[in-house]
Amino acid sequence: MKKQKFNINVSDAVILSVKETDGGYFRMKLAAPVIARTAKPGQFISLKVNASGMPLIRRPMGIFSAGKGCVEILFKAAGKGTEILSKKKKGEIISVLGPLGNGFTVREGLRHAVLVAGGYGVSPVAFLYRELKRRKINTTVIIGAKNKKLLYKEGFKSPKITTEDGSRGFKGLVTGQLDKACAGLSCGTSAVYACGPVPMLKAVAQVSEKHGIECQVSMESMMACGIGVCLSCVCSVKEGMGTGYKRICADGPVFDSREIVWRT
Ligand SMILES: Cc1cc2nc3c(=O)[nH]c(=O)nc-3n(C[C@H](O)[C@H](O)[C@H](O)COP(=O)(O)OP(=O)(O)OC[C@H]3O[C@@H](n4cnc5c(N)ncnc54)[C@H](O)[C@@H]3O)c2cc1C
Ligand code: FES
């Protein structure tokens, strides 16, 4: 049997700041030099939000930025764990596992990238955006939200905004803007990168595939171990003539959209 390698880089990080920001999000900056040095856009970290009690299981968070010894995350207080996280103070210590997962792939010869973000998907997409800019790759950013109050767009230059109720930008879903952005792009030198709710990812995959453009999706699921051991995070993938499973935490979270068996 093939021996599995598990990524278990755990460190104690000092919280440098926690700020409430646009869209009802919190931005937390951590001193985490090893993660800052090694993290790739699309990877994530897993945080022990309460050192001595519930919740016992770590909470996964995409990496918003990494560099100069620091890592930033962007999150919503969605439940018990993230509520605790939002109340942390500067100077507190938090146990961090990571960087985890594979991250986005930027292949040689890529000339144009279309980035699509929904919800907290804006966090890993912002990290990727800065990396693509650094590599001087033309980038179109499309951000979707239900309404303007839930929107986070800081750090992107002229993103295309879509809101379902039309309160900001284009009224409708991200796919309308994606369809326009893909028209006229050359398949061989373009790619779509997406992170957000699974129904959005499925729709983004369909539009990209219609245009023959490679699409990488960052999948989400509930996670327990975060390092590939417990199998609580699997998604269905195509395997030969049939289907199989892959672990979102260790084999992903980023997958080629054509690999996924969409269930929603
Ligand atoms: C790879 C990965 C990266 C993530 N990155 C971010 C991020 O950058 N910012 C951010 O705000 N959130 C992110 N999440 C989601 C975040 O981990 C969950 O919101 C968090 O675990 C909820 O914990 P909680 O204790 O606050 O909520 P709980 O009390 O456990 O649950 C509250 C609600 O959140 C839902 N929920 C719990 N876990 C998830 C999950 N993994 N995905 C979707 N819904 C969930 C529950 O169904 C419930 O409705 C990420 C998740 C994954 C798997
Ligand atoms: S969360 Fe345990 S295998 Fe993915």
Side-chain angles (χ1 to χ4, degrees):
M1 206 173 128
K2 204 175 146 194
K3 257 196 172 174
Q4 292 257 20
K5 261 185 151 184
F6 300 113
N7 183 346
I8 39 172
N9 300 316
V10 184
S11 55
D12 282 337
V14 179
I15 296 174
L16 300 173
S17 60
V18 190
K19 281 185 202 143
E20 192 160 5
T21 177
D22 295 351
Y25 286 93
F26 291 85
R27 215 161 128 172
M28 178 182 278
K29 195 173 193 176
L30 302 160
V34 176
I35 300 174
R37 203 174 53 244
T38 55
K40 273 176 58 178
Q43 287 190 297
F44 63 100
I45 56 177
S46 198
L47 301 152
K48 181 91 184 82
V49 298
N50 186 353
S52 56
M54 299 299 279
L56 291 175
I57 296 171
R58 289 172 179 271
R59 295 313 196 230
M61 289 287 149
I63 300 172
F64 177 77
S65 76
K68 297 187 179 160
C70 302
V71 173
E72 273 187 295
I73 56 170
L74 183 77
F75 63 94
K76 276 246 161 96
K80 211 188 285 172
T82 44
E83 186 71 41
I84 295 173
L85 206 56
S86 71
K87 297 203 168 102
K88 296 271 180 204
K89 298 274 177 279
K90 182 179 170 179
E92 283 187 59
I93 308 278
I94 188 162
S95 171
V96 185
L97 172 64
L100 299 169
N102 56 357
F104 294 108
T105 303
V106 180
R107 66 181 148 74
E108 280 298 311
L110 184 74
R111 303 264 290 277
H112 199 122
V114 184
L115 311 191
V116 188
Y120 63 73
V122 77
S123 176
V125 162
F127 189 9
L128 177 64
Y129 174 76
R130 286 187 290 272
E131 175 61 17
L132 295 171
K133 286 277 154 202
R134 194 185 63 77
R135 296 198 196 189
K136 301 196 178 349
I137 293 168
N138 290 323
T139 305
T140 304
V141 178
I142 304 168
I143 302 174
K146 276 201 162 45
N147 60 58
K148 67 177 182 186
K149 287 190 185 142
L150 300 175
L151 199 59
Y152 186 90
K153 56 182 175 55
E154 215 178 289
F156 298 102
K157 199 171 171 209
S158 316
K160 293 184 189 305
I161 305 292
T162 68
T163 50
E164 286 178 34
D165 67 354
S167 52
R168 182 71 47 85
F170 300 96
K171 186 173 181 185
L173 302 172
V174 288
T175 38
Q177 290 307 306
L178 177 64
D179 201 26
K180 286 185 192 159
C182 285
L185 288 183
S186 152
C187 316
T189 55
S190 310
V192 173
Y193 297 90
C195 187
V198 174
M200 183 201 94
L201 298 180
K202 181 183 175 184
V204 166
Q206 282 168 344
V207 173
S208 309
E209 284 165 33
K210 181 183 99 179
H211 288 275
I213 295 175
E214 175 203 347
C215 175
Q216 294 177 32
V217 290
S218 180
M219 298 293 284
E220 64 176 36
S221 81
M222 305 291 256
M223 286 186 182
C225 73
I227 55 167
V229 181
C230 71
L231 306 185
S232 69
C233 65
V234 293
C235 64
S236 291
V237 292
K238 293 169 196 157
E239 245 176 36
M241 299 296 280
T243 61
Y245 292 100
K246 280 200 174 168
R247 301 157 305 174
I248 292 179
C249 69
D251 304 313
V254 180
F255 294 88
D256 184 317
S257 66
R258 289 162 300 188
E259 204 185 341
I260 303 289
V261 178
W262 300 100
R263 299 274 186 217
T264 51

